[in-house]
Structure formats: C-alpha cells, structure tokens
Amino acid sequence: MFAVYLGCLGLLLLYYLYQKTYSYWSSRGVPFDKPFLIFGSFFDVAARKKHMFDVIREIYDKFDTPYVGIYILNQPTLMVRSPELLKKILVKDFDKFVDRKVALNESVDPIAANALFNAKDQMWRGLRAKISPVFSSGKMKLMLPLMKECAEDLTAHLEQRAGETLEVRNVTKKYAVDIISSCAFGVNSYCLKDDNSEIMKFATKLVDLKSFVRSFSIFSYFFIPKFVDIFRLTLLDKVASDYLTQMFKSTIAERQKKNIMSTSLVGVVDDILGSCVDCQTTSKWLLKALAFFSAGNDTISMTISFTLYELALNPTIQDRLRQEVKETFAKHGDFSYDAIYEMKYLDMVVNETLRKYPLTSFLNRKSVSKYTFEETGFTLDKDVAILVPVAGLHFDPEYFPDPEKYNPERFTEENKTKIPPYTFLPFGEGPRNCIGQRFGLLVTKLALAYTIKDFTFERTATTAVPLGLDPGSLFLENKTGIHMKVVKVQQ
Ligand code: HEM
C-alpha cells in the first residue's frame, strides 16, 4: 500500500514539475506552440524526422503574433516574428542581446570557447574589433589573386570532368577548402587537384553533419548546452581538429623560421593568420583560425551548389547570367574585384539563392538582462533564448510573394527597396552579423563567374526535384547530394 502512495506521490510530483516547466509561456500571457510531451517543439528535429528549416517554417506560419513562445526540450525560447522587434533585438537594443545562447566550456572545448561565434560580451567585443580589419575590402583585393588561382583550379577540374554528371557539393567544397586554406592560412591544400588531399579529408570530418555524434553535439551546443558539460561534447570533430591544428602549427613555425610573419607562404598576401599572429598568442590564434576554417567552407560551398542547382532547373536565368558574365569578362579582360561587383544580375542571383536557401535556418541570441517590449508591455526574463526564424521570414508571402519560386527579380535595384528591413537575413544583422560576409560573397561570385562563363549546368534524371533536406544536418543539405551534368560551352 505504501508503495502505491509513494508511486502516486511521485506521479503528482512529476505532473507538478511538468506543469511548472511547460506553463512558462502561458503564465506570462505569451502565445505559444504546444509542447510535445517533454520534447517541446523540436521533437521531430531531435528524432531526425524533419529538418529544423521545415519545423521553424511550420511554427512561424502557424502564428501571426509578433512573437511565439516555444520550448526546446524544457528550455523556453522566444521566436520573434515581427521585423520591428527584430530591429530592436539585433540593432537598437543590441547591448541587451549581445550574446548567443550557445554552450561555452573552455575545459571541454577550447576551440569552440575561443571562437568569435560563441564568445560572450567583453571577450567578443575585443575579438571582433581585432578581426574586423582582416575582412576589409582592401584585404579582399589583396587576397583576390589567391582566390583566382583556386577558381582557375575549379574550371580545370570541371574541364576534366566535362560531359559527366557530378555531385557538385563535393566539388564546391574542394574549392572552398582550397580558398580558405590559401587565404586564411597560407597553406595550399590542393583539394581540387588531388582527389586524396589529406586536408579535404579532415575538413569534411571536422563538421561531418551526417554523423550522429556530430549532429547531436551541434544540436546540444545550440539548444541543450548542459549536455555539452555532461557528455563533454565538442563542436568540431576532435581527430580532425587535432590534425588541422598540427598542420597550421607547422605553417606558423615555418613562417617564424623564415621571418615572414605577415605574408602567406604561397606568396603574396597579408592573410588572416599573418595579421593575427602579431596580436595574440599563437595557440589561442590557432583555435580561432580553426573555427574560421569550419565557418567558412560549408557556407560558401553550399551557396555555390544551391545556385548551380537553381540555374540547372532554370535555364533562362542561367543563360541571362552567362551573357552578363561574358560581357563583363570581355569588357575587363579579367574577373577583377571591380568586374565582380559590376555584375548586377550575378548579385541578384546570389541574393535569391540566399533567400531560398538560408544556410542557417535561424539566428540566435539571448537576453543578457530583463527586457520589456514597449509595444506589448511583456517583460522577458534574463537569460532567455531568442530564435530569429530566418526560414519563416524568407518564405513569408507578405515579404516575398510566391516564395517557393526562384526569382532573382526580387533583388533588382527597384524591387530591393520594397523588401521590408529585417525580413531578409542571410548573414544576420547588426553588430553581431556575419563577419565573413564580404569574403563569402566574393568567393561565391568568383566561382560562379568562372564556371558559368565556360560551362552549362543541366538537370538530369538524377537531379533531385524537389530537394529532400537531410534532417540530421544543421545546415541545409540535400539527403542525396546535388547532381547535374556539366557541359563545356562552345566558345
Ligand atoms: C555565404 C557564406 C556565409 C553565410 C550565408 C554566412 C551566414 C552567417 C550567419 C547567418 C551568421 C549569424 C549572424 C547573426 O547572428 O546575426 C554568421 C556569423 C558568422 N560567420 Fe558567417 N556566413 C558565411 C560565410 C562566412 C565565412 C566565409 C566566414 C569566415 C571566414 C564566416 C564567419 C562567421 C563568423 C566568425 C560569425 C560569427 C560573428 C560574430 O559572432 O561576431 N562566415 N554567418
């Protein structure tokens, strides 16, 4: 009998705890997405049934309120839908939302703890100020020759495989790793030239989004930081990061031996590592360098791949882009910095790719103190996670009519002005936006200019239409890759 009482008491206690936890939003009068048992709103994501991109869109579409309370497991998170409120969070009242709600544990994962993306308040401010000049347009121009070498390797690679049906993500990833290794670390990784490149192998392993352990770690970093402490999870794969750290270390040692601190080994440029070794201790910089390596290569390669995918499905857009690229090349005789920026249609195409395929389906912040939304009078507690539903905003027909359609015309000079601010956020917004935006756009456009000039990309029976997003991946990735035929253009 006593056991039955104890059991009932236990059940009552559990019910009480459940009610207490999952009434966080209702007790504050905030409209909320009903949690599924103890899993909250992201059960399908955790169970790998749906991609986060789709789940965020579904919740965004279910409501029309300025914000929605959701639970990620037991963690209350505020999804902010209103562009006006986003302006406050991301820009106007940035100081109250300076940090991201991500795990930070120096002893478990020194690389993540030292990355700009994860750094908190004062440390972040110091780091951002030091790193920003590295991404100036002056520095980009200096790096352009290195980037062009990689773009030439890309065309040579495609030349060899012309006529074949390729999985393009694999090829563009090689290009991105070559560029980042070369510009950032002065290391020639030769991924495009050498199918067995060690750097490529470890760059893939570093953030292998297909492995369960990696995707569990990444999910925990963003949504259940406690798991990082409990299971001692690292954001990047340990074996791969050890290998790459060792490789960069030997690069630095060689530089020091030759007394070339601020020029990259491959020759010309005052690269990221070069300019940074002077301002921090080497080991700390290695950790930051590695974080850049991982931030850069997937974002760039996926943006190029999704663009090529849409161009293969939309030959008219592809032809128009090729015409602009050829005319610009004929005028400049080269893809100089100015030539790349002169191509308006290329810019429209890339923007439309970033709208339809925002690689990170959401942005995240947290309230560093209590904060009252003047518009509604609602006071947000300290330390609550904020989720910016980029996937929802980019597909909201009010901001982007006929959102499933790939339509670069949305981004003509005239139409751009009609897009309400804070509804197009591929690189985030405000002081904590993407620091690599200029770099990412330049190398993406360069790859597209070089390839579109000389090749056509064609849909085949193996091209997945529509794409089926891989639910295990944090980024947008098609389950079966992105396949298309590449054909040399007759000059
Ligand atoms: C097409 C390419 C890229 C896209 C779409 C992209 C997207 C983003 C987004 C959405 C954020 C979050 C911004 C926010 O929270 O407001 C971000 C942050 C960041 N990105 Fe990128 N990114 C790209 C390329 C790169 C590259 C090439 C690098 C480095 C070489 C880079 C380094 C970073 C870093 C360090 C942050 C954190 C900034 C901070 O917290 O201060 N990204 N990126």
Side-chain angles (χ1 to χ4, degrees):
M1 201 59 186
F2 180 69
V4 175
Y5 277 132
L6 211 62
C8 290
L9 209 65
L11 283 176
L12 273 173
L13 185 68
L14 281 178
Y15 181 72
Y16 168 76
L17 287 176
Y18 181 83
Q19 281 301 322
K20 191 167 177 289
T21 307
Y22 294 98
S23 62
Y24 183 89
W25 291 121
S26 58
S27 64
R28 285 162 179 76
V30 172
F32 64 99
D33 186 53
K34 217 165 155 255
F36 175 66
L37 300 175
I38 56 163
F39 301 105
S41 293
F42 276 22
F43 174 72
D44 286 343
V45 179
R48 292 179 153 217
K49 278 175 30 191
K50 282 187 187 166
H51 194 279
M52 188 147 6
F53 179 87
D54 295 320
V55 172
I56 289 176
R57 270 186 76 181
E58 280 166 19
I59 302 173
Y60 177 94
D61 289 344
K62 248 194 270 175
F63 294 81
D64 60 0
T65 47
Y67 40 71
V68 181
I70 61 171
Y71 298 92
I72 297 176
L73 289 183
N74 64 347
Q75 181 184 281
T77 299
L78 192 70
M79 175 188 280
V80 180
R81 297 177 73 262
S82 144
E84 289 76 30
L85 296 187
L86 287 177
K87 178 178 180 181
K88 292 197 165 165
I89 290 169
L90 297 173
V91 178
K92 238 176 122 238
D93 294 329
F94 171 74
D95 283 351
K96 307 271 182 355
F97 300 96
V98 49
D99 294 337
R100 294 196 173 90
K101 183 119 185 167
V102 284
L104 198 94
N105 185 331
E106 174 108 38
S107 71
V108 173
D109 189 352
I111 295 176
N114 278 282
L116 184 67
F117 190 88
N118 300 333
K120 304 270 182 254
D121 201 355
Q122 285 313 318
M123 181 185 170
W124 170 77
R125 287 176 202 275
L127 273 178
R128 179 99 188 188
K130 270 183 192 144
I131 299 173
S132 288
V134 173
F135 290 96
S136 69
S137 50
K139 284 282 195 301
M140 293 302 110
K141 284 183 190 167
L142 281 173
M143 288 181 193
L144 192 64
L146 291 180
M147 296 173 180
K148 286 202 308 206
E149 270 179 38
C150 300
E152 277 155 21
D153 288 348
L154 175 63
T155 36
H157 183 94
L158 292 180
E159 185 104 42
Q160 278 175 8
R161 304 183 64 184
E164 284 179 37
T165 296
L166 305 180
E167 201 290 287
V168 288
R169 168 86 165 93
N170 195 4
V171 178
T172 57
K173 172 128 182 167
K174 290 179 177 177
Y175 165 76
V177 171
D178 275 354
I179 286 223
I180 301 214
S181 306
S182 165
C183 291
F185 311 112
V187 174
N188 229 331
S189 55
Y190 295 121
C191 299
L192 281 162
K193 287 188 172 155
D194 172 9
D195 280 344
N196 299 314
S197 159
E198 285 280 287
I199 295 186
M200 182 68 192
K201 210 166 76 197
F202 287 105
T204 308
K205 199 171 161 55
L206 196 64
V207 272
D208 179 6
L209 300 167
K210 294 211 163 43
S211 104
F212 174 75
V213 176
R214 274 286 53 73
S215 61
F216 177 68
S217 302
I218 294 171
F219 187 83
S220 303
Y221 256 85
F222 279 98
F223 300 118
I224 329 164
K226 276 202 179 69
F227 279 7
V228 170
D229 303 334
I230 297 170
F231 298 113
R232 301 187 69 78
L233 304 172
T234 56
L235 191 59
L236 304 174
D237 178 86
K238 185 91 179 62
V239 175
S241 55
D242 283 351
Y243 168 86
L244 291 164
T245 309
Q246 210 40 55
M247 185 198 69
F248 297 137
K249 235 183 207 162
S250 54
T251 304
I252 295 176
E254 198 155 333
R255 280 168 197 227
Q256 285 170 336
K257 214 165 70 199
K258 293 185 183 162
N259 208 15
I260 39 170
M261 293 301 287
S262 57
T263 25
S264 77
L265 279 184
V266 271
V268 211
V269 167
D270 184 11
D271 56 82
I272 294 178
L273 202 58
S275 47
C276 291
V277 167
D278 316 330
C279 56
Q280 284 264 344
T281 63
T282 303
S283 63
K284 285 244 159 179
W285 262 105
L286 270 172
L287 302 179
K288 290 173 183 49
L290 209 56
F292 271 117
F293 191 79
S294 61
N297 67 53
D298 281 316
T299 46
I300 290 167
S301 60
M302 287 180 195
T303 308
I304 302 168
S305 305
F306 285 127
T307 307
L308 294 177
Y309 173 74
E310 287 290 349
L311 294 177
L313 299 191
N314 298 282
T316 322
I317 298 177
Q318 185 174 158
D319 289 347
R320 181 164 161 204
L321 180 61
R322 184 167 301 105
Q323 192 183 336
E324 178 184 71
V325 166
K326 283 191 157 184
E327 280 168 15
T328 311
F329 187 78
K331 180 174 155 198
H332 291 263
D334 186 16
F335 289 125
S336 61
Y337 192 78
D338 293 341
I340 292 291
Y341 276 88
E342 202 176 289
M343 288 187 267
K344 294 277 179 278
Y345 195 63
L346 177 60
D347 189 58
M348 287 160 59
V349 164
V350 172
N351 274 327
E352 178 61 347
T353 300
L354 290 166
R355 183 204 58 91
K356 198 170 168 193
Y357 305 95
L359 304 177
T360 55
S361 324
F362 65 95
L363 312 176
N364 70 336
R365 299 286 188 272
K366 73 170 183 187
S367 46
V368 294
S369 58
K370 279 195 166 207
Y371 181 85
T372 302
F373 290 100
E374 282 165 13
E375 295 76 358
T376 59
F378 164 60
T379 298
L380 189 67
D381 290 334
K382 179 174 183 280
D383 239 5
V384 176
I386 305 279
L387 185 145
V388 181
V390 179
L393 291 159
H394 283 198
F395 281 79
D396 187 331
E398 192 184 331
Y399 310 134
F400 300 99
D402 199 1
E404 302 294 338
K405 184 173 177 198
Y406 184 80
N407 179 13
E409 296 307 308
R410 301 177 203 276
F411 292 95
T412 59
E413 284 303 320
E414 196 199 334
N415 289 344
K416 249 194 311 198
T417 60
K418 295 181 201 148
I419 300 173
Y422 304 95
T423 60
F424 178 57
L425 298 166
F427 292 102
E429 194 48 91
R432 202 139 194 188
N433 70 350
C434 174
I435 200 169
Q437 174 171 355
R438 195 180 270 130
F439 182 88
L441 281 175
L442 181 59
V443 299
T444 297
K445 289 179 174 182
L446 202 66
L448 290 169
Y450 268 84
T451 51
I452 287 294
K453 177 175 153 293
D454 290 341
F455 303 93
T456 58
F457 295 89
E458 297 172 9
R459 177 179 175 169
T460 68
T462 54
T463 312
V465 185
L467 293 176
L469 294 180
D470 182 349
S473 170
L474 180 74
F475 288 131
L476 292 190
E477 228 176 335
N478 189 44
K479 266 186 244 161
T480 51
I482 300 184
H483 300 265
M484 65 191 72
K485 187 173 176 187
V486 53
V487 178
K488 182 97 174 88
V489 170
Q490 297 307 319
Q491 301 293 342

